[in-house]
């Protein structure tokens, strides 16, 4: 698939000033300036994150109300229910809050509740509130959900149950009638950092409770490995406070993780240090699989397990859910690609809408993402859900998917989501009409260049710049993630050193030379690029990585794209 290359720009004068202060390679200074780290102090805070730089939790609107209501509940021996969503952010939030509340009240006076993905759906459910009523709960703390549950929280209130909402999703005009709403995205909340995930908001509430009770802050920091897992999985920006939380959370995950993370790491066969990408690709899919394939309650049970053996038994369940998820995801992706490949009309479109009644509801979102890797365009995958069709939509970078679906709402029973992803429900006899309308709307709105994947390139360097010291500074920029991605470089007029070859028939192992410097690289699923490499000079886009082989460590390129030189 052809890709667009965009080289990021930055103010030359600022780069020069920063280089004079930091005395590091100008390409690295350029990257820092591009990321808003354009003076010595900002760079220092970035490279040396400190827990003392976390914001005061009391700056968050309603924090005093939330803390007072929880302490009143504890004083009066009320029973508290910790309620969270079934994804990684929700289950980690619940694990943190539930464990902490257990340390400040009698353990039998607190329980947790995770709604069932298919029986109850996303967020606060009527079933969950009825469960609370039946079992005498008078306070519900909701995490990673609740900001839009106006009617349900009213229903709870009428039944004598108070709500504290900890959420990070965008609030609507009308807010739920909760005792306290902690959400930095509220327009009248002066909390300085707006990009916390749900578990991050819960962590701020725990920190405030710890302070109010005059307990050591280490009691709050004990949950940082779970907070980092949520930050990684929820794809929030790894800037500001999230960077500090992720940095120290990874440190804890490597030095002293909770039993659940330890067990998942063991089952995934990962023995090296955990990086943020390991949390994204090893831990998160296994936790998410519980909610997708079965019931996410066991993810919380794994995170809160007191012994490693208990954690391992829950982790094994998650691991097998994930294997089941992988099988479903692979077979459905294959089937969906076959449907498109058999139909020239579908191939020509600017959208993909596919439906099969037997597809597993838990993986349609993953399949939609997979399909965009083959046909880079807004994609919707639908399956049968009860009497209706339901599914997930995924966009391409820069295109507002939610608006496009909103424009086709006459064909739908319900929909929700945001810029890049959405969910929708419709009658099965409306699928064809909806697919046509969606194609018409997208084709009229989407610029052609958005249908070509873009690689954002941070800086142009030569191979001679790639030295251990240069790479060490890149490593200190971790943890990587949205708004602080692993730096991407370009080097031009590179030649094959004569040893490039295919590995396992589908990957390209590159031995490349620029001026007098030779480096090796790996380009996955790129066998078809070998002729370009062998025909003459080429330009190469890559990230820099370490390669361990027979006990020795060397720097290598992880290739993202290659083009013949102009």
């Amino acid at each position: 698939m052809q890709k667009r290359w965009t080289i990021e720009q930055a103010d030359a004068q600022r780069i020069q000033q920063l280089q004079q202060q930091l005395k590091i390679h100008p390409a690295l200074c350029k990257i820092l300036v591009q990321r808003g780290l354009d003076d010595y102090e900002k760079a220092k805070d970035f490279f040396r994150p400190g827990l003392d730089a976390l914001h005061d939790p009391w700056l968050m609107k309603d924090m005093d109300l939330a803390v007072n209501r929880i302490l009143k509940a504890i004083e009066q021996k009320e029973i508290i229910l910790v309620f969270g969503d079934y994804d990684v952010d929700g289950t980690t939030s619940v694990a943190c809050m539930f464990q902490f509340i257990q340390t400040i009240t009698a353990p039998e006076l607190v329980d947790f509740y995770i709604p069932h993905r298919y029986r109850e759906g996303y967020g606060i459910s009527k079933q969950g509130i009825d469960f609370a009523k039946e079992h005498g709960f008078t306070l519900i703390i909701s995490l990673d959900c609740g900001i839009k549950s106006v009617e349900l929280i009213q229903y709870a209130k009428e039944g004598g149950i108070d709500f504290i909402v900890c959420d990070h999703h965008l609030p609507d005009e009308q807010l739920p009638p909760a005792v306290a709403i902690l959400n930095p995205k509220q327009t009248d909340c002066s909390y300085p950092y707006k990009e916390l995930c749900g578990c991050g908001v819960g962590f701020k509430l725990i920190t405030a409770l710890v302070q109010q009770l005059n307990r050591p802050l280490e009691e709050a920091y004990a949950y940082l490995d779970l907070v980092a897992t949520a930050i990684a999985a929820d794809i929030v920006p790894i800037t500001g406070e999230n960077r500090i939380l992720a940095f120290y959370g990874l440190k804890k995950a490597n030095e002293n993780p909770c039993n659940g993370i330890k067990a998942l790491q063991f089952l995934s066969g990962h023995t090296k240090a955990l990086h943020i990408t390991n949390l994204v690709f090893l831990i998160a899919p296994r936790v998410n699989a519980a909610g997708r394939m079965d019931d996410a309650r066991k993810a919380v049970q794994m995170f809160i397990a007191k012994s490693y053996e208990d954690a391992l038994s829950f982790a094994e369940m998650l691991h097998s859910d994930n294997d089941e998820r992988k099988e479903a995801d692979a077979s459905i992706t294959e089937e969906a690609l076959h449907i498109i490949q058999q139909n020239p009309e579908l191939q020509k479109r600017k959208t993909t809408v596919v439906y099969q009644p037997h597809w597993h509801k838990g993986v349609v979102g993953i399949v939609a993402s997979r399909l965009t890797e083959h046909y880079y365009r807004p994609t919707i995958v639908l399956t049968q859900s009860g009497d209706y069709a339901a599914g997930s939509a995924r966009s391409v970078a820069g295109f507002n998917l939610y608006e496009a679906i909103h424009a086709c709402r006459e064909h739908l029973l319900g929909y929700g989501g945001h810029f890049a992803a959405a969910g929708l429900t419709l009658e099965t006899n409306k699928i064809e009409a909806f697919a046509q309308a969606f194609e018409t709307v997208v084709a009229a709105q989407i610029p052609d260049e958005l249908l070509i994947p873009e690689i954002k390139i941070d800086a142009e360097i030569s191979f001679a710049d790639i030295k251990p010291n240069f790479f060490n500074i890149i490593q200190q920029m971790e943890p990587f993630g949205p708004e602080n991605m692993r730096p991407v470089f370009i080097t031009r007029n590179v030649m094959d050193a004569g040893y490039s070859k295919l590995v396992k028939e589908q990957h390209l192992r590159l031995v490349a030379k620029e001026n007098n410097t030779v480096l090796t690289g790996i380009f996955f699923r790129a066998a078809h690029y070998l002729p370009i490499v062998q025909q003459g000079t080429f330009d190469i886009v890559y990230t820099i990585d370490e390669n361990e082989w027979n006990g020795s460590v060397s720097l290598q390129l992880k290739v993202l794209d290659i083009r013949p030189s102009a």
Side-chain angles (χ1 to χ4, degrees), residues 324-342 352 354-356 358-360 362-375 379 381-382:
E324 203 185 312
R325 188 272 306 166
K326 279 187 201 162
E327 276 174 38
D329 148 16
S331 69
I332 296 170
T333 301
E334 198 179 320
E335 214 180 313
L337 284 170
H338 186 71
I339 291 169
I340 300 166
Q341 282 150 6
Q342 293 302 303
T352 298
V354 282
Y355 164 75
Q356 285 296 319
H358 62 272
W359 287 346
H360 194 297
V363 299
V364 289
I366 300 172
V367 172
S369 296
R370 298 251 189 272
L371 294 180
T372 61
E373 290 166 18
H374 291 266
Y375 295 93
T379 297
V381 179
L382 299 165

Side-chain angles (χ1 to χ4, degrees), residues 57-106:
W58 302 93
L59 295 172
M60 201 176 288
K61 180 176 185 278
D62 284 3
M63 186 60 81
D64 51 340
L65 299 174
V67 167
N68 291 340
R69 180 64 186 90
I70 291 169
L71 295 181
K72 179 188 160 203
I74 286 162
E75 200 180 305
Q76 300 188 347
K77 299 198 165 26
E78 294 178 60
I79 322 180
I80 300 170
L81 187 64
V82 180
F83 189 110
D85 194 24
Y86 45 68
D87 66 0
V88 180
D89 195 11
T91 52
T92 50
S93 302
V94 167
C96 297
M97 187 62 68
F98 174 74
Q99 288 180 98
F100 178 71
I101 300 280
Q102 276 196 320
T103 68
I104 59 173
T105 189

Side-chain angles (χ1 to χ4, degrees), residues 460-489:
E460 184 171 338
I461 58 174
S462 63
F463 280 2
D465 295 322
I466 302 172
K467 296 191 170 85
N469 187 32
F470 186 86
F471 180 67
N472 287 344
I473 295 170
I474 290 173
Q475 277 186 303
Q476 289 177 48
M477 295 174 73
E478 290 200 43
F480 295 120
E483 294 181 32
N484 183 43
M485 299 301 278
R486 180 177 284 281
V488 174
F489 299 103

Side-chain angles (χ1 to χ4, degrees), residues 300-504:
V300 178
Q301 288 167 304
M302 177 195 69
F303 284 135
I304 65 175
K306 295 272 192 279
S307 74
Y308 178 71
E309 292 67 33
D310 282 356
L312 191 59
S313 68
F314 288 116
E316 279 164 348
M317 295 180 213
L318 265 61
H319 195 66
S320 86
D321 285 341
N322 194 46
D323 288 343
E324 203 185 312
R325 188 272 306 166
K326 279 187 201 162
E327 276 174 38
D329 148 16
S331 69
I332 296 170
T333 301
E334 198 179 320
E335 214 180 313
L337 284 170
H338 186 71
I339 291 169
I340 300 166
Q341 282 150 6
Q342 293 302 303
N343 187 331
E345 179 54 39
L346 290 183
Q347 287 179 46
K348 283 190 296 212
R349 290 187 167 190
K350 293 189 174 179
T351 60
T352 298
V353 179
V354 282
Y355 164 75
Q356 285 296 319
H358 62 272
W359 287 346
H360 194 297
K361 206 166 134 184
V363 299
V364 289
I366 300 172
V367 172
S369 296
R370 298 251 189 272
L371 294 180
T372 61
E373 290 166 18
H374 291 266
Y375 295 93
Y376 191 73
R377 57 200 194 186
T379 297
I380 297 176
V381 179
L382 299 165
T383 184
Q384 187 87 26
S385 176
D387 299 333
Y388 306 112
S392 287
R394 295 290 181 271
S395 193
V396 296
F399 183 72
N400 192 331
L401 180 74
Y402 181 81
E403 286 299 323
I405 291 172
H406 176 73
C408 308
R409 62 191 178 281
E410 65 187 276
H411 304 285
L412 302 175
L413 293 168
Y415 62 99
H418 50 83
F419 197 93
L424 60 161
T425 311
L426 66 165
E427 288 171 13
T428 49
N429 61 359
K430 297 271 179 72
I431 293 172
E432 195 43 53
F434 168 75
Q436 289 293 348
F438 186 62
E439 170 67 20
T440 305
V441 167
V442 174
Q445 291 178 358
I446 198 163
D448 283 343
E449 72 263 17
L450 287 191
L451 296 168
I452 304 167
E454 179 185 36
I455 300 181
K456 288 188 169 163
I457 299 163
D458 289 285
E460 184 171 338
I461 58 174
S462 63
F463 280 2
D465 295 322
I466 302 172
K467 296 191 170 85
N469 187 32
F470 186 86
F471 180 67
N472 287 344
I473 295 170
I474 290 173
Q475 277 186 303
Q476 289 177 48
M477 295 174 73
E478 290 200 43
F480 295 120
E483 294 181 32
N484 183 43
M485 299 301 278
R486 180 177 284 281
V488 174
F489 299 103
I490 181 170
T491 302
R492 300 186 193 273
N493 301 313
V494 174
M495 291 183 72
D496 177 24
Y499 305 103
S500 298
K501 60 176 185 184
L502 299 186
V503 182
K504 295 183 183 167

